[in-house]
Amino acid sequence: MAGSHSQLSGPDLALGIALADLPDGGKLIGHRDGEPVLLVRRGAEIFAVATACSHYGGPLAEGLVADDTIRCPWHHACFDLRTGEALRAPALSPLACWSVEQRGDRIFVGEKRKKPSPAPGESDGAAAERIVIVGGGAAGFAAAERLRRERYQGSIVMLSDDEALPVDRPNLSKDFLAGKAPEDWIPLRKQGFYAKNGIDLRLGTKAAGLDAGAREVVLADGARLAFDKLLLATGAEPVRLTIPGADQPHVHTLRSLADSRGIIAQADTARSAVVLGANFIGLEVAAALRTRGIEVHVVAPDERPMERVLGPQMGDFIRALHEENGVVFHLGDTAASIGTRDVRLNGGGTLVADIVVAGIGVRPRTALAEVAGLATDRGVLVDEYLETSAPGIYAAGDIARWPDPHSGGNIRVEHWVVAERQGAAAALNMLGRRKPFTDVPFFWSQHYDVPINYVGHAEGWDAIEVEGDIAAKDCILRFKRGGRVLAVATIFRDTESLEAELAMERSRA
């Protein structure tokens, strides 16, 4: 978005700056024609791009320049400095770019460049007549978007059993649930995007079967849909409570826009809520409901919140942070039954509850793959190109178990950014690019005003090295096994988080 003149800072770059004011590797914010512009110098080359990340508006001046790219400090999106193209999720839209001219020892920023139009000629993957994508989440959407961005000319059919357009799911448990983000921020793209790009998005459409040999998806109504290439991006579904009272209208899980809307509708009149589960979703829900002024109790069998992923030190900090904000924990306990306005615990207590939200985990939706005879192992097994055991059928997102070059194991992770990046990678491979998926896993979690960024993947560790002060919300934690860093968690250490990601990319197990 163009900034107003009152928000502009730095020099008017149309008038030029001295080359000496921009050292090699340096960044400088100025403006041109009323818009903020970021200058980046790499050796003899100088680039001019927009200052704000196209994802959530993160400040790129605080980002990391690596090779000919710039990475956002907030959520690790990555952009090409030459073209502005969004190379990595969570950003999907490009950055604006300006022409730069060097005259003598001065640098001048010229006109904003027009967005490059697709080059004429034969497109990639023209031979594949129809690509079918099963799933309307992060991976499915990112695949469809990337196919069209790569000028694939064939048919794209996207099947989603949700009634809503593909949404920015992380927001459903964060700002949208807290009442700080309007609903029109939630769709990843508006309805017109799909028609304009020739994406046949079929909402409320369930794939009931998959015939890998005949290369057909069987829909719930019995219709058969042929494909040349197929992407399974079915995601995960919440684990449902099986205790008495779990089927009442004030008991929720949170996965879809409809789920989030349902909680918000009841939150308007609710005074108390019980959240079952102290994982990321559960605690983000707790924070969002506290922001709305609702009394919140969290019940979980764990000794500490999120200890399994973030270790005991961060677990204790997260508990203290939530307690400072009024959340009451009941750890080492579980719910026995749910009444019309209360939750009875196995430990003997009873909690008042106008709303109950169960965040007790998710299960990958692997049934289609299993019925089709694809290789599975606590997920759908894929190779480094995200191709399953059946040629031409790919899997991405929460269901995919892939060979991770950083940990050296076959891993499956339930991260939004990973799903988007895998969807994009699968799109390239369906077009014949043979591009291995080697991205380092990344996720972020938000609790009140505290963001936690996590890069890498550590299912187990023998040491956690803490630098800085966790309680002061200024720290970096390195999760190590055998002296090797497997993962890094940070609070307000954005540059170090980006540097850790880059270091992991450049090393292999």
Side-chain angles (χ1 to χ4, degrees):
M1 278 183 258
S4 69
H5 288 275
S6 61
Q7 297 172 311
L8 297 176
S9 61
D12 183 341
L13 299 173
L15 303 177
I17 61 164
L19 181 62
D21 290 344
L22 186 64
D24 188 10
K27 299 190 284 279
L28 182 146
I29 291 179
H31 54 90
R32 162 89 207 210
D33 297 331
E35 287 192 70
V37 176
L38 176 66
L39 285 183
V40 178
R41 181 174 170 189
R42 292 200 74 244
E45 284 191 285
I46 295 158
F47 307 99
V49 297
T51 58
C53 176
S54 65
H55 174 232
Y56 282 176
L60 294 178
E62 297 169 23
L64 184 68
V65 174
D67 301 320
D68 292 339
T69 69
I70 189 162
R71 302 176 184 219
C72 176
W74 286 1
H75 306 128
H76 293 214
C78 179
F79 301 91
D80 187 318
L81 282 167
R82 295 178 193 283
T83 64
E85 185 185 1
L87 299 175
R88 286 194 196 172
L92 298 165
S93 301
L95 296 177
C97 294
W98 285 260
S99 60
V100 180
E101 190 183 350
Q102 192 175 332
R103 288 182 237 145
D105 60 359
R106 289 184 72 75
I107 304 163
F108 297 86
V109 170
E111 297 294 316
K112 189 194 266 194
R113 289 201 208 129
K114 290 188 168 62
K115 286 182 183 165
S117 51
E122 191 172 317
S123 76
D124 275 313
E129 299 297 322
R130 180 191 280 159
I131 291 176
V132 173
I133 297 167
V134 182
F141 174 83
E145 189 272 341
R146 194 57 179 258
L147 286 168
R148 288 300 186 227
R149 208 196 301 178
E150 297 292 329
R151 305 192 301 282
Y152 168 65
Q153 301 288 306
S155 160
I156 300 174
V157 181
M158 190 173 173
L159 308 176
S160 172
D161 59 7
D162 202 324
E163 299 295 335
L165 294 173
V167 296
D168 181 23
R169 187 180 296 126
N171 233 323
L172 297 182
S173 58
K174 298 181 176 77
D175 286 353
F176 178 61
L177 186 60
K180 296 193 292 187
E183 191 167 312
D184 63 3
W185 287 10
I186 300 304
L188 287 167
R189 288 289 186 270
K190 302 289 191 275
Q191 182 83 51
F193 169 85
Y194 300 93
K196 181 182 172 192
N197 288 280
I199 297 167
D200 180 3
L201 173 61
R202 303 184 190 179
L203 298 175
T205 303
K206 187 169 175 58
L210 169 59
D211 187 332
R215 303 186 87 68
E216 290 179 331
V217 177
V218 183
L219 304 183
D221 64 4
R224 298 175 81 89
L225 182 63
F227 61 83
D228 295 286
K229 298 277 174 65
L230 176 73
L231 176 64
L232 292 175
T234 45
E237 60 192 4
V239 174
R240 305 279 168 184
L241 289 169
T242 55
I243 59 176
D247 56 353
Q248 297 176 91
H250 68 296
V251 181
H252 304 267
T253 54
L254 178 51
R255 187 74 182 172
S256 66
L257 176 58
D259 293 339
S260 196
R261 280 178 180 153
I263 297 169
I264 289 167
Q266 292 183 354
D268 285 344
T269 55
R271 295 177 61 185
S272 61
V274 171
V275 175
L276 304 177
N279 57 16
F280 291 100
I281 292 290
L283 291 182
E284 287 178 355
V285 167
L289 295 178
R290 283 300 298 139
T291 301
R292 289 177 174 271
I294 296 171
E295 181 183 311
V296 176
H297 291 254
V298 173
V299 179
D302 322 331
E303 186 182 335
R304 291 182 179 90
M306 301 203 280
E307 181 176 11
R308 188 180 60 79
V309 177
L310 294 176
Q313 300 99 321
M314 196 71 99
D316 285 340
F317 164 75
I318 289 166
R319 175 178 181 165
L321 173 65
H322 281 270
E323 286 178 338
E324 281 167 27
N325 283 277
V327 172
V328 180
F329 283 92
H330 306 265
L331 298 174
D333 210 343
T334 52
S337 64
I338 301 171
T340 53
R341 278 212 63 223
D342 62 15
V343 175
R344 285 181 289 289
L345 305 183
N346 279 308
T350 300
L351 303 173
V352 177
D354 298 316
I355 303 175
V356 179
V357 181
I360 56 174
V362 296
R363 286 195 194 99
R365 299 168 68 177
T366 55
L368 267 186
E370 287 162 2
V371 168
L374 305 184
T376 58
D377 173 17
R378 296 161 298 142
V380 180
L381 290 173
V382 296
D383 64 13
E384 61 189 316
Y385 305 107
L386 304 177
E387 195 167 18
T388 69
S389 57
I393 299 179
Y394 295 75
D398 291 357
I399 62 169
R401 184 173 291 279
W402 82 96
D404 174 40
H406 311 289
S407 62
N410 270 8
I411 66 172
R412 186 184 71 79
V413 298
E414 294 157 359
H415 303 337
W416 177 256
V417 171
V418 171
E420 287 187 307
R421 290 179 180 178
Q422 286 188 344
L428 295 177
N429 288 321
M430 287 191 284
L431 297 178
R433 297 287 177 81
R434 303 296 285 170
K435 187 175 184 298
F437 180 76
T438 60
D439 285 21
V440 176
F442 168 78
F443 72 83
W444 81 93
S445 187
Q446 180 82 24
H447 304 263
Y448 311 99
D449 60 343
V450 179
I452 299 169
N453 282 1
Y454 181 100
V455 295
H457 183 75
E459 289 186 15
W461 55 81
D462 53 34
I464 301 176
E465 185 179 283
V466 180
E467 181 185 312
D469 187 339
I470 300 176
K473 304 169 189 171
D474 173 29
C475 61
I476 178 166
L477 278 67
R478 297 180 183 91
F479 299 82
K480 294 176 147 185
R481 190 170 59 221
R484 189 167 172 271
V485 176
L486 298 178
V488 169
T490 57
I491 298 175
F492 293 122
R493 294 271 188 111
D494 292 343
T495 303
E496 281 140 301
S497 181
L498 286 168
E499 288 169 348
E501 182 180 52
L502 186 62
M504 288 180 198
E505 284 170 19
R506 290 175 172 172
S507 69
R508 293 285 189 272

